[in-house]
Amino acid sequence: MNQNTFSYEARGQVLVIHLPKELDHHNCRNLRYETDLLLSENYVSRIIFDFSRTEFMDSSGIGVLLNRYKQMAGSGGSVAIYGVGSQVHRILNVGGLSRLVPCFESKEAALTD
């Protein structure tokens, strides 16, 4: 799998988004577009972001996460993340997302919540 691309996994009404090594303004536009399509074509009640490969994230990544959080909350759904490394964890804390979005150690834990 290319380190700079997204991959998606559907599990019933749950959409797992496997993020690339870098989540920045260059690829966030694609992430927004692709997830907009997936959300419009499928009933998704939970989005889980997989950060296990992600080493860098800028404010564009925070914006995408916040947008999806608001979108899911507005429709009665939820967002979760897992596999966050220390550098990305600091960014999530500074951006205030760690207070809004639950963070799990593994995909299995995020799926069972």
Side-chain angles (χ1 to χ4, degrees), residues 21 49 69 72 81 93 98:
K21 184 176 180 179
F49 290 95
Y69 168 79
M72 287 288 100
I81 59 177
N93 281 337
S98 59

Side-chain angles (χ1 to χ4, degrees), residues 51-92:
F51 278 91
S52 61
R53 293 185 298 154
T54 307
E55 298 173 6
F56 173 81
M57 180 174 72
D58 68 8
S59 60
S60 299
I62 291 173
V64 169
L65 290 172
L66 189 57
N67 179 276
R68 295 302 173 219
Y69 168 79
K70 289 178 180 178
Q71 186 177 17
M72 287 288 100
S75 64
S78 63
V79 172
I81 59 177
Y82 76 91
V84 177
S86 60
Q87 185 171 347
V88 172
H89 194 272
R90 280 193 297 276
I91 294 166
L92 292 171

Side-chain angles (χ1 to χ4, degrees), residues 2 28 111:
N2 185 335
C28 279
L111 286 167

Side-chain angles (χ1 to χ4, degrees), residues 26-59:
H26 294 294
N27 58 17
C28 279
R29 181 180 7 211
N30 289 341
L31 177 60
R32 273 191 221 81
Y33 175 75
E34 291 171 0
T35 55
D36 279 344
L37 284 176
L38 288 166
L39 293 173
S40 69
E41 295 173 355
N42 303 283
Y43 179 74
V44 175
S45 63
R46 184 171 176 85
I47 298 175
I48 300 174
F49 290 95
D50 169 12
F51 278 91
S52 61
R53 293 185 298 154
T54 307
E55 298 173 6
F56 173 81
M57 180 174 72
D58 68 8
S59 60

Side-chain angles (χ1 to χ4, degrees), residues 1-25:
M1 181 184 316
N2 185 335
Q3 290 188 30
N4 295 316
T5 60
F6 303 95
S7 63
Y8 304 92
E9 178 184 349
R11 295 206 170 193
Q13 297 176 349
V14 177
L15 176 64
V16 180
I17 302 173
H18 303 282
L19 301 173
K21 184 176 180 179
E22 296 184 0
L23 186 59
D24 57 22
H25 69 279

